[in-house]
């Protein structure tokens, strides 16, 4: 089967390519033909905005199915985001030996979903938390914004930039960017300013 490997870090790319190249079942396609691959394997440290943009693009390619080899998920939000971007199978980078990579690729090609048990539990907990928030009559705002999202938008409305929000909330700058991007994408807004205006109009912050 044909496989395209995507990785922003050349060292990560070389590692995955080296493992797969040794398997006769796999035909690695060159970058110029990546869109024709049956399986797209994205290898990253974490799911940031750049990764999400790539996953969204691959999701709309009818010729390929996408798998993710990832270092870590910083939150349930990041895991949910990857699934919503069309990822059908996930493997932790630390566990990505040759056999597991091959099993992952075969599962993706067969249309199967693969998610480590603990990540599945994290995803279910996250979805349950969102559902409970949405059903809480004392917390209508949480039906569209989590408390963390609302806190970050409130700080944006006060004129703080990403680095300042990260210091205030004790999250990494990457997490701040991911959270705000998720709000903007989910609510179909244009940018942070639009998101703040929306939240203010609807009494969410």
């Amino acid at each position: 089967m044909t496989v395209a490997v995507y990785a922003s870090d050349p060292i990560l790319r070389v590692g995955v390519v080296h493992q797969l190249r040794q398997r006769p079942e796999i035909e690695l396609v060159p970058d110029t033909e990546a869109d024709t691959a049956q399986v797209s394997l994205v290898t990253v440290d974490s799911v940031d905005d750049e990764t999400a943009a790539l996953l969204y693009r691959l999701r709309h390619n009818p010729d390929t199915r996408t798998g993710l080899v990832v270092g870590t998920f910083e939150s349930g939000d990041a895991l949910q985001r990857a699934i919503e971007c069309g990822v059908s199978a996930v493997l932790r980078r630390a566990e990505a030996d040759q056999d597991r990579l091959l099993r992952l690729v075969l599962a993706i090609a067969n249309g199967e979903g693969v998610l480590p048990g603990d990540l599945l539990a994290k995803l279910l907990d996250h979805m349950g938390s969102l559902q409970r928030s949405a059903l809480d009559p004392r917390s209508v705002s949480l039906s569209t914004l989590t408390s963390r999202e609302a806190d970050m938008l409130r700080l944006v409305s006060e004129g703080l930039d990403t680095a300042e929000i990260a210091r205030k909330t004790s999250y990494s700058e990457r997490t701040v960017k991911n959270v705000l991007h998720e709000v903007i994408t989910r609510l179909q807004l244009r940018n942070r300013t639009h998101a703040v205006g929306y939240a203010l109009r609807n009494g969410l912050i």
Side-chain angles (χ1 to χ4, degrees):
M1 71 199 68
T2 55
V3 177
V5 176
Y6 297 84
S8 56
D9 185 331
I11 295 177
L12 295 183
R13 178 184 175 82
V14 168
V16 172
V17 167
H18 174 72
Q19 297 281 11
L20 294 178
R21 183 172 283 149
Q22 302 175 51
R23 304 302 301 231
E25 306 94 326
I26 303 296
E27 177 188 348
L28 293 170
V29 301
D31 291 347
T32 54
E33 301 173 20
D35 286 345
T36 67
Q38 294 168 274
V39 173
S40 294
L41 204 55
V42 178
T43 305
V44 293
D45 288 320
S46 61
V47 179
D48 57 15
D49 290 346
E50 182 180 349
T51 302
L54 170 60
L55 295 175
Y56 273 121
R57 181 174 72 77
L58 293 172
R59 180 181 184 179
H60 291 95
N61 179 355
D63 297 324
T64 194
R65 295 178 181 273
T66 305
L68 184 67
V69 180
V70 64
T72 184
F73 285 107
E74 292 185 346
S75 66
D77 288 337
L79 178 56
Q80 180 188 354
R81 186 180 186 188
I83 301 300
E84 289 174 348
C85 287
V87 169
S88 60
V90 176
L91 179 65
R92 279 198 178 84
R93 207 178 67 214
E95 301 170 351
D97 60 22
Q98 189 179 115
D99 289 338
R100 288 192 179 96
L101 279 171
L102 179 62
R103 286 199 295 271
L104 186 76
V105 169
L106 290 173
I108 296 167
N110 291 328
E112 300 171 7
V114 178
L115 193 64
D118 63 312
L119 290 182
L120 177 59
K122 177 184 280 192
L123 179 63
L124 292 174
D125 284 346
H126 176 68
M127 298 303 293
S129 175
L130 291 179
Q131 185 179 39
R132 287 191 297 275
S133 296
L135 294 175
D136 185 353
R138 298 166 300 172
S139 184
V140 176
S141 68
L142 293 184
S143 64
T144 49
L145 291 180
T146 66
S147 58
R148 181 171 68 170
E149 290 168 344
D151 288 343
M152 289 188 184
L153 276 182
R154 200 172 291 114
L155 293 172
V156 172
S157 73
E158 295 171 5
L160 276 65
D161 62 21
T162 300
E164 292 168 328
I165 294 172
R167 286 196 294 272
K168 278 264 190 180
T169 59
S170 298
Y171 288 109
S172 69
E173 290 187 34
R174 177 177 289 173
T175 296
V176 172
K177 290 178 182 177
N178 286 346
V179 170
L180 293 174
H181 182 273
E182 167 63 23
V183 173
I184 291 166
T185 301
R186 189 176 71 244
L187 299 180
Q188 300 180 356
L189 303 171
R190 292 187 299 275
N191 49 41
R192 293 185 182 189
T193 302
H194 192 192
V196 169
Y198 175 92
L200 289 170
R201 285 195 304 275
N202 289 278
L204 303 179
I205 60 175

